[in-house]
Amino acid sequence: MTDNISRYRQARDRMIAYVADDAAGDGFSWPELTGSFNWATDWFDTFARGNDGTALWIVEEDGTEQKVSFGEMVLRSDQVATWLSSLGVTKGHRVILMLGNQVELWESMLGIAKLGAVIMPTTGALGEDDLRDRIDRGRADVVIANLSDTHKFDRIDARIRRIVVGGDRDGWVSYAQASAAAVAGPFESPTTVDDTMLIYFTSGTTSRPKLVEHSQISYAVGHFTTMAWIGVRPGDVHLAISAPGWAKHAWSCYFAPWIAEATIFVYNYRRFDGAGLLRQLRDKAINTFCAPPTVWRMLIQADLGARPEGLRELLGAGEPLNPDVIRKVEDAWGLTIRDGFGQTETTLLVGNRPHRPVKAGSMGQPMPGVPVVLVDPVTGRPATEGEICLDLARSPLNLMTGYVGDPSRNEEVMADGYYHTGDVAQQDSDGYITYIGRTDDVFKSSDYKVSPFELESVLIEHPAVVEAAVVPQPDETRLALPKAYVSLASGWEPTADTARQIFEYAAAHLPAYLKVRRIEFYELPKTTSGKIRRVELQQREMAAHRSGEALDSEFRYEDAVTTSA
């Protein structure tokens, strides 16, 4: 185990040196960890125990704040692990963790990991149906949730241990009991490198989210690349705008900063306030800042002012940024927002690296140690334009174990010696990669991945809907809005009231981040075989966007639902 810790630190230090001196990263190789390893006990506890540096710094909208030192985080997570163990939680148990940006989230992630149990991060935006699916297919043993979310589990008949944070409720064990636990630590690694550490749910092109499994090293070591892309260093204060429950939160609000021994800074707000966020960047001397393009687009509408003192690195993640946004930030602060690319299934694969030139529109170059190859979908051979893949012959460390309980999908994405991301790009002579699009119809809206099939599956359950096709409608703020083209059933009229009913039905059966925001009653274009020609609908939306003219025949969620309220 000591050898593993030593190898981990040496490789981490090599990657940090790469951040400071670009040439140092050219010969980077992953640490060869074998046998026993647990990131929480072997890495975090090793550097954090007795460390007075700030591990977590949370600031609320009203200005109240909470700081937790690394040493305190070790003890708090030891208490959580001890208490969970007393409840029967042990290695291999799967724990749904449905919390917001609060201290309990971080201490629980560490505490669960210290037991060798499996963390299953879950967004609080989910409703009853989605949670039932996650519990059933994820084979969850425990759920930890805030009091305000416990009602979502009332009609879920599952034999799972239920733990409530922030209050008391019948049938639920109070998380507050953990603070009274006599610590059984320090804990030793109960896991090997191949044991499961995390399971994330992610939407794809099917009606149900995929279950992505990560080992004890695929994220915990793999996020060396994310740390390098961010450019975060020991002692830095890092702020990333990200919601718990999604993989990006683990990327930038857990692994990357704590791998670097930096402070995780969180700013909680209910409604976006550009001036308030800028104030945090200045007052708290943030060094590295990562935000989705939606936030950047809204931020430039505020007065950026002079560059906040201490701010060194800016990053955008989720989808490509508009060049105009990048230019405005550069003009104001003299810093370039750097883009990157990765998936829930991986860590950062491609990135515009610190100290290297940024080419407009490019995601950057493959990160050190990551065997990125563009594969021509027709020939199956490497090309300058094709699907972004990982060469499995070179054993990419920062890749998932696979999709849980889905051997056919695993076979599909690992076919022909490559891991297939499903994203298409082109690469220039300098190795810079520019994103083109998805190989399927998935699109991004406000940094969330939207699967048309998932939305359509809900829409057609409404009695008014015979068929539906969901496509992205271009939007300056959210990049795209989910729009549904609907073929009506007999007896239903294409009226505002019909649209309202469909809007409300979809909202009640889908997570809030998958809200259908536009509906148009339309004769769906089809191929001779009867398949809907989505490309025609997408072209129609693009043409309307370019002309600047709204489609008079569409209904807008904010008008239909608000008007009826």
Side-chain angles (χ1 to χ4, degrees), residues 538-550:
Q538 293 170 353
Q539 290 170 347
R540 185 170 185 267
E541 292 300 320
M542 289 299 297
H545 179 68
R546 284 193 296 266
S547 70
E549 297 179 4

Side-chain angles (χ1 to χ4, degrees), residues 375-391:
V375 177
D376 187 313
V378 177
T379 66
R381 297 176 180 174
T384 56
E385 181 172 322
E387 183 181 11
I388 303 171
C389 295
L390 296 180
D391 185 353

Side-chain angles (χ1 to χ4, degrees), residues 346-367:
T346 69
T347 66
L348 202 284
L349 302 180
V350 177
N352 279 301
R353 315 178 191 181
H355 311 300
R356 289 198 176 183
V358 174
K359 292 191 177 185
S362 172
M363 302 185 297
Q365 299 165 303
M367 296 300 290

Side-chain angles (χ1 to χ4, degrees), residues 13 16 33 93 106 136 142 167 181-182 186 199 202 205 222 248 252 254 278 285 359-360 445 510 525:
D13 290 346
I16 288 178
L33 307 187
H93 281 172
W106 281 269
D136 290 346
V142 183
I199 293 177
T202 180
T205 56
K248 184 60 174 66
S252 293
Y254 188 68
L278 288 169
K359 292 191 177 185
S445 177
L510 287 166

Side-chain angles (χ1 to χ4, degrees), residues 434-447:
T434 299
Y435 185 81
I436 294 175
R438 290 286 300 172
T439 56
D440 52 29
D441 295 315
V442 171
F443 60 95
K444 286 288 190 74
S445 177
S446 292
D447 201 43

Side-chain angles (χ1 to χ4, degrees), residues 198-500:
L198 286 155
I199 293 177
Y200 267 101
F201 292 82
T202 180
S203 294
T205 56
T206 64
S207 60
R208 297 193 301 176
K210 297 168 288 186
L211 283 73
V212 178
E213 179 182 357
H214 280 282
S215 71
Q216 294 290 326
I217 61 173
S218 54
Y219 259 24
V221 182
H223 276 302
F224 281 12
T225 63
T226 310
M227 176 191 70
W229 169 64
I230 292 171
V232 61
R233 306 169 184 169
D236 275 350
V237 179
H238 175 63
L239 166 59
I241 306 298
S242 185
W246 304 104
K248 184 60 174 66
H249 192 273
W251 282 38
S252 293
C253 298
Y254 188 68
F255 286 109
W258 279 353
I259 289 171
E261 300 177 62
T263 298
I264 297 169
F265 181 87
V266 175
Y267 177 47
N268 283 325
Y269 54 84
R270 286 188 175 85
R271 188 179 183 86
F272 181 80
D273 175 13
L277 179 55
L278 288 169
R279 188 163 51 250
Q280 300 305 317
L281 292 172
R282 290 191 168 87
D283 294 350
K284 305 306 188 296
I286 304 300
N287 303 115
T288 54
F289 175 49
C290 181
T294 301
V295 169
W296 281 115
R297 286 190 285 267
M298 291 190 290
L299 198 59
I300 63 171
Q301 296 174 22
D303 180 11
L304 290 174
R307 177 177 66 86
E309 185 177 354
L311 192 58
R312 190 180 66 247
E313 305 290 350
L314 303 179
L315 305 112
E319 74 252 4
L321 255 178
N322 186 303
D324 184 57
V325 176
I326 297 174
R327 180 184 56 78
K328 287 181 178 179
V329 175
E330 282 181 340
D331 290 345
W333 290 351
L335 297 173
T336 301
I337 303 172
R338 295 184 286 104
D339 197 8
F341 169 81
Q343 299 182 311
T344 301
E345 292 89 338
T346 69
T347 66
L348 202 284
L349 302 180
V350 177
N352 279 301
R353 315 178 191 181
H355 311 300
R356 289 198 176 183
V358 174
K359 292 191 177 185
S362 172
M363 302 185 297
Q365 299 165 303
M367 296 300 290
V370 183
V372 172
V373 182
L374 300 190
V375 177
D376 187 313
V378 177
T379 66
R381 297 176 180 174
T384 56
E385 181 172 322
E387 183 181 11
I388 303 171
C389 295
L390 296 180
D391 185 353
L392 296 178
R394 295 168 60 189
S395 304
L397 183 144
N398 59 333
L399 175 64
M400 66 173 180
T401 304
Y403 297 117
V404 177
D406 201 340
S408 61
R409 186 182 295 276
N410 287 329
E411 184 176 347
E412 179 183 346
V413 299
M414 305 290 184
D416 304 317
Y418 296 105
Y419 165 69
H420 298 263
T421 67
D423 293 281
V424 177
Q426 58 186 16
Q427 189 170 31
D428 68 13
S429 58
D430 295 322
Y432 283 78
I433 295 175
T434 299
Y435 185 81
I436 294 175
R438 290 286 300 172
T439 56
D440 52 29
D441 295 315
V442 171
F443 60 95
K444 286 288 190 74
S445 177
S446 292
D447 201 43
Y448 294 114
K449 187 183 291 185
V450 178
S451 168
F453 187 90
E454 187 173 0
L455 274 64
E456 292 159 8
S457 298
V458 170
L459 289 168
I460 62 175
E461 293 176 354
H462 190 281
V465 180
V466 173
E467 286 184 299
V470 173
V471 298
Q473 181 180 87
D475 182 78
E476 295 298 333
T477 300
R478 295 185 173 91
L479 183 69
L481 299 175
K483 175 175 177 177
Y485 281 88
V486 171
S487 176
L488 282 174
S490 177
W492 290 83
E493 296 297 325
T495 63
D497 185 63
T498 300
R500 176 190 59 79

